[in-house]
Amino acid sequence: MASKSTVQARTNMHGYFFCLPFVAVFLIFNLWPTIYTFILGFGNMEGLKPSFDIVGLKNFDKLIHDKYFWGAVGNTFIIWGLNFAPQLGLALLLAIWLSDHKLTLHGKGLFRALFYLPNLLTATSVAILYKSLFADPIGPVNQFLLKIGVISEAFKFFRSPTASRLIVAFIQWWMWCGQTLILLMAAITSISPSLYESATIDGASSWQCTWKITVPLLRPMMFYLLITSMVGGMQMFDIPFLITGMHGEPDYKIRTTAVYMYNVGFQGRNNYSYAAAISIGMFIITVGLAILINWLVKERTPKSHRKELEA
């Protein structure tokens, strides 16, 4: 009869065996490319150049003084801000509304599915769709605005930096609002109903229950959404790349950091090392902002209470 330790060792071996495919895929397609990117960032690989030499911090010194990189960073945060603020606000209102047991709403599941549906579409098809909708001069949006008399001639949406930014931000909002809604609804349904029952017995109104119970208890989820949305925003690539001329036109106002990295690394001179430095710069900015946001929203114990605890 096998000992207990032998059985445990066999069980562990089975666990290692089933984990091996994931570990292998992670090492080959995730960890090694990350390490190789950092190596490239300190080198001088460009185009078909056969040699590769370490040049130290030369690429990063260039990055710090690169106005096009900082312009792309600014574009990224402007588009992300225009997208995230209304996305979180509307998703929060809808989540509270659809999760309210006092409202006998029919078809809640259908509403959730419809709001989440855009997230299932590919970025390429969405970019083609909106490029056609806002086309000049025969796009449906232009035709509608002409018909109701808002404009006297077709508006060139994709030649206006402001209009282009708003369109890209709206697309990002339209695609991701459903996922934000589902996550907020899941967080709301995890709140104990007894809290609402106690508040109602004490005379609290629906608005007071929402403001004093729901919103504070949603703080961890909203923090999670803020961080993940910021990380996704820094990686925003497909829509800004496909919606116009693949370089962030017009006037490079929708060229995000990811688009700029692609332009540098895979178009023109194919400067792979500098593109790797750009990606490392994006990583550092994202981590720094995540740490800063975590510090800003961190709950702090009042000084008076802290002294009492220390005493």
Side-chain angles (χ1 to χ4, degrees), residues 105-147:
L105 298 174
H106 300 287
K108 289 184 180 181
L110 178 61
F111 277 113
R112 287 195 291 262
L114 289 176
F115 275 108
Y116 189 75
L117 187 61
N119 191 248
L120 303 177
L121 303 177
T122 62
T124 305
S125 59
V126 171
I128 294 173
L129 170 64
Y130 277 86
K131 199 169 184 178
S132 302
L133 287 174
F134 290 92
D136 166 50
I138 58 173
V141 174
N142 260 317
Q143 293 298 311
F144 175 73
L145 294 177
L146 286 168
K147 188 173 182 179

Side-chain angles (χ1 to χ4, degrees), residues 62-99:
K62 178 182 177 182
L63 185 67
I64 292 172
H65 299 91
D66 187 355
K67 64 178 182 179
Y68 300 109
F69 169 73
W70 293 111
V73 172
N75 293 335
T76 303
F77 279 104
I78 289 172
I79 296 172
W80 173 69
L82 291 172
N83 152 42
F84 181 71
Q87 178 190 140
L88 182 62
L90 181 61
L92 180 60
L93 289 174
L94 290 173
I96 293 171
W97 182 51
L98 293 173
S99 302

Side-chain angles (χ1 to χ4, degrees), residues 202-218:
D202 291 336
S205 63
S206 297
W207 169 251
Q208 290 174 325
C209 289
T210 300
W211 188 248
K212 298 294 185 179
I213 299 176
T214 306
V215 174
L217 292 178
L218 285 179

Side-chain angles (χ1 to χ4, degrees), residues 32-46 52-64 261 264-265 271-284:
W32 168 242
T34 302
I35 296 172
Y36 187 60
T37 298
F38 275 85
I39 296 173
L40 278 180
F42 293 92
N44 64 347
M45 181 174 288
E46 182 178 341
F52 175 75
D53 302 313
I54 298 296
V55 296
L57 299 174
K58 183 178 178 180
N59 290 321
F60 298 97
D61 180 66
K62 178 182 177 182
L63 185 67
I64 292 172
M261 179 188 67
V264 170
N271 194 336
Y272 304 118
S273 289
Y274 189 55
I278 293 172
S279 67
I280 295 171
M282 293 166 55
F283 171 75
I284 293 172

